[in-house]
């Protein structure tokens, strides 16, 4: 299994970013996908999920600002992040419930700061 996240950057408050995660080693179209984030010293937090059918879930802290989507042809999951806040600063990871919790990609750093 490979989970390769990209798209993180330094952005000002109120700005936008689009994260991408390319997945290999699983049958992507048949599996739910998640985006998590982690701040040093804190537990990893589930941010958004998308089922194989395209149903979505969002944490209350990002609802209305973030949008998760998937491209089954490219085996890629995206996270569109708008109206970013300093508290969104974290390393963002994609994952799937079918993948062991012992395995995570390298993540992508999002920093929201003026």
């Amino acid at each position: 299994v490979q989970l390769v996240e990209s798209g993180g950057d330094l952005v000002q408050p109120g700005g936008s970013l689009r994260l991408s995660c390319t997945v290999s080693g699983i049958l992507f179209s048949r599996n739910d996908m998640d985006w998590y984030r982690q701040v040093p010293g804190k537990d990893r937090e589930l941010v958004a999920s998308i089922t194989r059918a395209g149903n979505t879930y969002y944490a209350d802290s990002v609802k209305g600002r973030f949008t998760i989507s998937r491209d089954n042809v490219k085996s890629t999951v995206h996270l569109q992040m708008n109206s970013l806040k300093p508290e969104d600063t974290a390393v963002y990871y994609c994952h799937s419930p079918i993948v062991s919790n012992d395995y995570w990609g390298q993540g992508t750093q999002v920093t929201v700061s003026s």
Side-chain angles (χ1 to χ4, degrees):
V1 177
Q2 275 199 317
L3 305 166
V4 181
E5 301 93 346
S6 63
D9 205 345
L10 169 64
V11 63
Q12 292 187 343
S16 298
L17 282 175
R18 187 184 192 225
L19 306 184
S20 299
C21 174
T22 301
V23 183
S24 60
I26 65 171
L27 193 51
F28 181 84
S29 62
R30 294 193 180 180
N31 286 283
D32 300 347
M33 292 299 304
D34 304 319
W35 278 100
Y36 287 81
R37 65 187 180 188
Q38 189 169 27
V39 175
K42 293 190 176 181
D43 291 337
R44 199 169 275 138
E45 171 193 18
L46 178 63
V47 174
S49 297
I50 185 165
T51 69
R52 53 188 277 183
N55 298 312
T56 57
Y57 158 85
Y58 298 95
D60 287 343
S61 58
V62 307
K63 204 171 292 182
R65 301 186 298 121
F66 289 11
T67 303
I68 189 171
S69 62
R70 64 190 299 157
D71 183 339
N72 288 338
V73 174
K74 296 182 179 179
S75 296
T76 301
V77 59
H78 300 287
L79 187 67
Q80 177 67 42
M81 306 187 295
N82 299 328
S83 302
L84 282 162
K85 304 175 181 180
E87 52 263 42
D88 295 318
T89 295
V91 179
Y92 284 72
Y93 302 88
C94 71
H95 204 256
S96 173
I98 200 174
V99 177
S100 167
N101 279 333
D102 292 333
Y103 179 77
W104 294 81
Q106 85 287 349
T108 188
Q109 175 71 49
V110 172
T111 302
V112 184
S113 175
S114 54

